[in-house]
Every structure is written in structure tokens, then in C-alpha cells.
Amino acid sequence: MRDFLIANAVPVIAGIAVLELILTVLLAVCFGKKKSVTVLLMALIALGLTFDAAVMALGSVMPEGLLSVLSRVRFIGHGILIPLNIALCGCVLDWQGTKKQTVLWIITAVVCVLGAASGIARQTELRELGGIVRYASVGAPVWAEKINRVLSFGTVLPLLAAGIGVIIKKKNPCIFLAAFLMFVFSALGPATGNADLIFLISMFGELLMVLFFLLHAKTAVRDGDA
């Protein structure tokens, strides 16, 4: 599998980018119909992941200067948009208008600011693997590394817990599956001794997360829901 992924890295990431773009558009259309904050958050997270995949897919054909700028935007955007999963937890549990959701919005805002700062502080280096040319993170201040760990797992685990709550409350497994598959694919690289491919392997989890976001939006969010 490792050899296959390296040999086909460019078409794999390009395919994921295209599929994520389609799902993002479908989420945007769904938001236009339902006017739901839940769907809006899902669409914004999907947009960030699509941009991330597109920059990596096109890195080999970009001027180095442009790739450097877009990669910095990629890191900052990741830090701002991924924490929206925290606020999403309350939305899928129907906490809108409650003190609990207000607390989640405050936490989300703080993590978004810290995530953006982490993206700015991150040191990057131009790397190539399997034809994928990208600026990879090679170091950051201690506080930025801690924030990055929060972005990697601290936003997925709460969503996993919320997904269990949605199963109990609404008998809908989509949020649980979105978070669970994201977690599995994020951990799969290091667990199989392919930590250098985590940027690629985790993208399968991101694609599946967005897919189950869309399924949740269509099956569990009613018109006019918050």
C-alpha cells in the first residue's frame, strides 16, 4: 500500500481535492436551502480541507513563491477552520441558544485565534514525495506545537463524543462516523510506521468526514434549524 500511495500520490490527492470540492458545493447548496448554522460550519470546514488538498495537488506546477504564500495561508486557514468542529458539537446536539453552546463558541473563538497564530509561527520547508511538492512543517515554538496537537485530536475527540450523543438522541450515526473515520485515518500513518505519509493518509479520513457531514445535513437537519 505504501508503494502504491507514493507512486500515485499526485492523482490520489487531486482526486480527493475534486471530490471534496463537489461535497463542499453540495453543502453550500444545502445551507442555501436550510439556512442552518450547523450546515454552514460543515461547509466552512469542508472548504478549508478542499483548499488544503488543492494546494498540495497543484504544488508541483506552481512557482515556488506562490506555493510558499498559499502554504502559509493553508496553515493559517487550518488553524482557523478546524476548531469550528468544537462549535459544531453543540449544534448537532441542539444546544443552540443555551449557555453550553455559548461556552463552546467562546472556546472555539479562542482556539481559532491560537490556531491562526500557530500557523503564522510555524517553520516550513519545501519537500517532495511521490511528485507532491509542498511546504511541510519542520518546527514551531512549544506553544504552537501544543496548539497543533489540539487541532489534530482535540477537535475530533469532542466531535466523536457528540456523535455518540446524536446516535442516542436522534438515532443518526453520521457525526460519529465522520469523527471516527477522521480519527482512524489520522492515527493510521504513525500506527503503521508511515508517519511521513500522514499528510496523505489522513486526507482519506478528511474526505469521509466531509461525506458524512453532508449525509448528516441531509438526514438530520431540518429546514430552519439553527
Side-chain angles (χ1 to χ4, degrees):
M1 181 59 71
R2 177 183 173 84
D3 291 341
F4 173 82
L5 288 176
I6 293 176
N8 297 279
V10 174
V12 166
I13 290 185
I16 289 174
V18 170
L19 291 173
E20 286 182 345
L21 177 60
I22 292 171
L23 293 173
T24 301
V25 171
L26 292 175
L27 279 168
V29 171
C30 187
F31 169 70
K33 293 178 179 178
K34 301 194 175 187
K35 302 298 189 295
S36 165
V37 174
T38 301
V39 181
L40 176 60
L41 291 175
M42 291 175 171
L44 290 173
I45 293 167
L47 179 62
L49 296 175
T50 301
F51 179 79
D52 187 81
V55 171
M56 284 197 279
L58 298 173
S60 61
V61 299
M62 285 186 196
E64 188 175 324
L66 178 60
L67 179 59
S68 177
V69 171
L70 292 181
S71 295
R72 182 61 62 183
V73 173
R74 180 168 72 87
F75 283 116
I76 296 172
H78 182 83
I80 294 173
L81 295 177
I82 295 304
L84 297 180
N85 275 312
I86 299 172
L88 183 60
C89 291
C91 291
V92 297
L93 290 171
D94 298 328
W95 287 358
Q96 299 91 330
T98 68
K99 291 181 179 179
K100 289 184 289 187
Q101 183 63 26
T102 300
V103 170
L104 286 184
W105 278 116
I106 293 172
I107 294 173
T108 299
V110 171
V111 178
C112 285
V113 171
L114 293 174
S118 173
I120 294 171
R122 192 159 298 282
Q123 300 170 9
T124 62
E125 178 180 274
L126 191 63
R127 291 184 177 176
E128 187 275 336
L129 180 65
I132 296 295
V133 179
R134 65 192 179 98
Y135 275 89
S137 175
V138 294
V142 174
W143 65 267
E145 290 292 356
K146 290 181 179 179
I147 293 300
N148 190 54
R149 284 195 288 272
V150 170
L151 295 177
S152 297
F153 294 104
T155 58
V156 175
L157 293 178
L159 192 63
L160 189 63
I164 294 173
V166 174
I167 291 176
I168 295 171
K169 187 175 182 178
K170 300 182 179 181
K171 305 299 186 291
N172 191 308
C174 291
I175 295 299
F176 174 80
L177 291 172
F180 177 74
L181 292 170
M182 181 68 247
F183 179 82
V184 168
F185 279 94
S186 294
L188 195 57
T192 59
N194 293 293
D196 57 328
L197 294 179
I198 189 172
F199 76 94
L200 176 55
I201 296 173
S202 63
M203 292 178 73
F204 289 96
E206 294 168 356
L207 175 62
L208 291 170
M209 181 173 74
V210 175
L211 173 61
F212 281 104
F213 277 177
L214 179 62
L215 292 176
H216 178 87
K218 288 185 171 295
T219 59
V221 180
R222 296 164 299 187
D223 294 355
D225 280 357

